[in-house]
Amino acid sequence: MLKTEANLTQTDVLDMDKRLLGDLYRVLFGNAADAIIRISECNSVECVNDIVDIIRSTNIDLDYLIGKYGQDEVIYKVLQVFQAFFSFLIEHGLLNTEYKNLVKKNLNSRGKSMKNVHYMIEMAGSILMNAACRIHYLGLSRVGGYAVDRYLLILSRAMDALTMEQTNKAIRLLTAAELALIGRDKEADEMLKPINLSLYIIDRHLTLCSFMEKLHDLGIIFTEEDLGKDVV
Amino acid sequence: MSIKKYLLDTNILIDYYLCSNNEDFSEGNMGFCRSFKGFMDYVLSAELLMSDVSIREFVLKLIHKMAITPLPPPDNLGKSLVTYADNLVNQLINELNVNVLDTDKNTLRTIYELAQLIRGMQRRKLKKRILRGLDRDAINIVHAGYNEATLLTEDENLIYALMNIPTDVLNISCKPHNGFDFKINNCHMIAHLTTSGSSLNASVLLISPQQ
């Protein structure tokens, strides 16, 4: 819901709400599509530049939207787009119960607090990782030629890096994620090497975490007490 | 880190589970998991080893959990729960390409020698606590030594034991390892074995577990 200004009717507000959402989808997905097209042809240095370019143009677009609709509204709508994506993951069984509850709880909390927004961004890394692991576990790693599991796992690490304010690492990870998604493995590896990562390591993470998802689905629940030596 | 081989303890696997199937979304815990994942990048880039004992222990942990699972038994359980859990873990070991180490008579002889050194200690209470802290971890330490691998563990009792063995009993030095947002102790042990005349060189990375 928007802050109602005195001179706006309820319908005006809803209209603006919808227009903003529409604009935002165009900005975010338009730029994402652009990224996929450009990344399919670049070589390694260009790839980073392309992604930085796209991030920059996304920022300019977002700034424009902020000027038009106000910062808070845009941020809340970005959050809604995030949540829409997470809801999609839930609907398709790509998040386990714990993460499902977490996202649902966040969806239900009506308060438009910035704290909520920050929390969601903090959480994004682990939510995306869980989705990557479940996708691998469910055998949906390759969808239409796209390496979705690798993509989501690398993307999750990019979100982690952003949370830890490692911007350059985050950009490398974002670029590598896009490259891995479209199967440009050699280039993705080149991108990951300076940050001590590789697709081999990413795949091993997927092997390990998808096994943990299997255990979870078998009803095997470990807690911190299980870290002790004694077999319970 | 230049170490190329890691010997995993079961608690590392369990912490990995905890970080990927989280119920604790507190800031502190999420921070630990972010760092832990970064740490696992190094581990997963290396050659992985596990002792046969740790693998059995992990299987047993799964069996105990499955016995009280809130779900009906899986359709594909097959002949027995034990075989099912065995297959589950074997599959992981294969897919992750983990080298399994057999605990044989030689391993046990070395452990016996190490334990004898500790049994020679004067302080009875400390001696007891150290032996209890070591118990089956001694197997992993010996495997790590003989395979030039680093044992990776979160076992608090072992941390206590290693840090409290007097240097005149066993040559052990521990120092904190920097570069991660959680506590890691890097311990190195050199033991001269009298019967075989050889020496055991083992290194252990002790991770302070999640709070």
Side-chain angles (χ1 to χ4, degrees):
Chain A
M1 291 288 278
L2 282 164
K3 289 169 288 182
T4 330
E5 286 172 31
N7 56 344
L8 289 173
T9 67
Q10 189 66 25
T11 336
D12 289 337
V13 171
L14 286 176
D15 258 9
M16 188 171 131
D17 208 29
K18 257 188 239 159
R19 273 204 311 275
L20 168 57
L21 201 58
D23 283 350
L24 200 59
Y25 271 108
R26 266 191 293 284
V27 165
L28 295 178
F29 291 101
N31 280 308
D34 194 25
I36 290 180
I37 292 164
R38 288 174 68 174
I39 212 93
S40 61
E41 286 155 5
C42 59
N43 66 41
S44 60
V45 185
E46 277 170 24
C47 293
V48 176
N49 292 339
D50 279 350
I51 289 293
V52 170
D53 246 26
I54 287 158
I55 291 170
R56 199 172 290 142
S57 85
T58 311
N59 277 338
I60 292 169
D61 291 346
L62 284 175
D63 278 343
Y64 167 75
L65 289 185
I66 286 168
K68 192 170 165 192
Y69 299 98
Q71 177 166 10
D72 284 4
E73 292 311 323
V74 173
I75 288 172
Y76 297 135
K77 277 287 176 291
V78 170
L79 188 66
Q80 272 190 18
V81 173
F82 256 98
Q83 287 175 331
F85 179 61
F86 293 153
S87 302
F88 168 86
L89 294 177
I90 290 176
E91 273 166 35
H92 292 81
L94 301 176
L95 290 180
N96 73 28
T97 332
E98 281 74 30
Y99 284 91
K100 215 155 58 185
N101 292 338
L102 176 79
V103 174
K104 279 189 177 158
K105 211 174 107 195
N106 212 285
L107 282 172
N108 293 336
S109 65
R110 286 167 201 273
K112 277 181 160 191
S113 73
M114 277 311 277
K115 219 175 130 196
N116 208 349
V117 174
H118 279 298
Y119 186 64
M120 207 60 189
I121 292 169
E122 279 252 320
M123 291 308 309
S126 12
I127 294 173
L128 291 174
M129 176 170 171
N130 190 247
C133 302
R134 276 198 86 71
I135 283 171
H136 190 84
Y137 160 56
L138 296 169
L140 304 169
S141 302
R142 300 289 174 273
V143 178
Y146 289 116
V148 189
D149 52 353
R150 282 174 170 179
Y151 174 70
L152 287 174
L153 192 68
I154 304 172
L155 197 60
S156 83
R157 301 302 290 272
M159 295 306 289
D160 284 350
L162 276 181
T163 316
M164 295 191 278
E165 287 170 18
Q166 299 164 333
T167 319
N168 288 332
K169 190 174 176 183
I171 289 173
R172 275 198 170 270
L173 285 162
L174 273 175
T175 313
E178 301 273 355
L179 287 166
L181 178 69
I182 57 172
R184 296 190 66 188
D185 295 0
K186 207 177 123 248
E187 289 83 357
D189 262 331
E190 273 171 37
M191 203 55 59
L192 292 170
K193 205 175 168 197
I195 48 173
N196 294 315
L197 268 168
S198 63
L199 288 182
Y200 173 73
I201 299 173
I202 294 295
D203 285 346
R204 266 183 142 184
H205 271 294
L206 285 169
T207 302
L208 198 50
C209 74
S210 60
F211 175 76
M212 300 309 173
E213 282 305 311
K214 192 193 274 178
L215 297 189
H216 185 273
D217 271 17
L218 284 168
I220 295 171
I221 307 294
F222 283 117
T223 64
E224 273 153 50
E225 284 132 51
D226 297 306
L227 285 172
K229 168 185 321 206
D230 299 322
V231 172
V232 189
Chain B
M1 274 191 286
S2 57
I3 302 140
K4 285 283 174 279
K5 278 190 206 173
Y6 287 103
L7 183 85
L8 302 182
D9 192 0
T10 49
N11 44 44
I12 299 294
L13 296 179
I14 289 173
D15 223 355
Y16 197 96
Y17 172 101
L18 292 177
C19 280
S20 44
N21 284 306
N22 230 321
E23 280 186 79
D24 178 3
F25 295 103
S26 67
E27 214 160 290
N29 186 58
M30 288 194 320
F32 172 85
C33 286
R34 268 195 290 272
S35 291
F36 185 70
K37 277 185 266 170
F39 174 71
M40 287 305 285
D41 288 343
Y42 284 102
V43 176
L44 294 178
S45 71
E47 196 182 324
L48 297 179
L49 311 171
M50 259 183 110
S51 68
D52 51 358
V53 176
S54 289
I55 287 171
R56 283 296 161 90
E57 187 186 329
F58 190 53
V59 171
L60 204 50
K61 282 194 189 228
L62 297 190
I63 289 171
H64 286 174
K65 292 286 175 189
M66 281 187 76
I68 51 155
T69 162
L71 302 174
D75 293 334
N76 58 345
L77 184 86
K79 197 173 113 227
S80 78
L81 173 60
V82 177
T83 336
Y84 182 81
D86 255 340
N87 289 340
L88 216 56
V89 173
N90 278 338
Q91 214 179 325
L92 174 73
I93 297 299
N94 287 336
E95 277 181 42
L96 207 55
N97 198 9
V98 178
N99 233 323
V100 182
L101 305 170
D102 295 330
T103 305
D104 58 13
K105 204 169 167 185
N106 266 334
T107 328
L108 289 175
R109 206 188 302 278
T110 308
I111 296 166
Y112 169 74
E113 276 196 60
L114 288 177
Q116 281 303 90
L117 290 173
I118 292 159
R119 283 198 188 93
M121 276 172 60
Q122 292 299 323
R123 296 164 62 190
R124 299 199 57 165
K125 252 188 162 166
L126 183 64
K127 176 164 65 178
K128 241 174 131 177
R129 197 161 168 199
I130 289 172
L131 283 172
R132 205 182 307 137
L134 277 179
D135 58 34
R136 66 106 174 91
D137 282 319
I139 295 173
N140 283 335
I141 291 177
V142 170
H143 280 308
Y146 282 146
N147 289 282
E148 288 162 347
T150 297
L151 168 60
L152 216 64
T153 180
E154 298 191 25
D155 200 309
E156 280 171 292
N157 295 322
L158 179 66
I159 297 173
Y160 177 88
L162 286 184
M163 292 200 152
N164 284 284
I165 297 176
T167 37
D168 59 320
V169 176
L170 271 174
N171 185 354
I172 299 176
S173 64
C174 294
K175 55 181 177 213
H177 185 96
N178 300 319
F180 292 97
D181 289 345
F182 48 91
K183 238 173 82 190
I184 306 182
N185 267 297
N186 192 352
C187 294
H188 207 88
M189 179 177 94
I190 303 170
H192 297 287
L193 308 170
T194 41
T195 44
S196 57
S198 64
S199 70
L200 184 77
N201 245 314
S203 68
V204 184
L205 274 189
L206 302 156
I207 295 161
S208 291
Q210 299 194 56
Q211 261 82 62

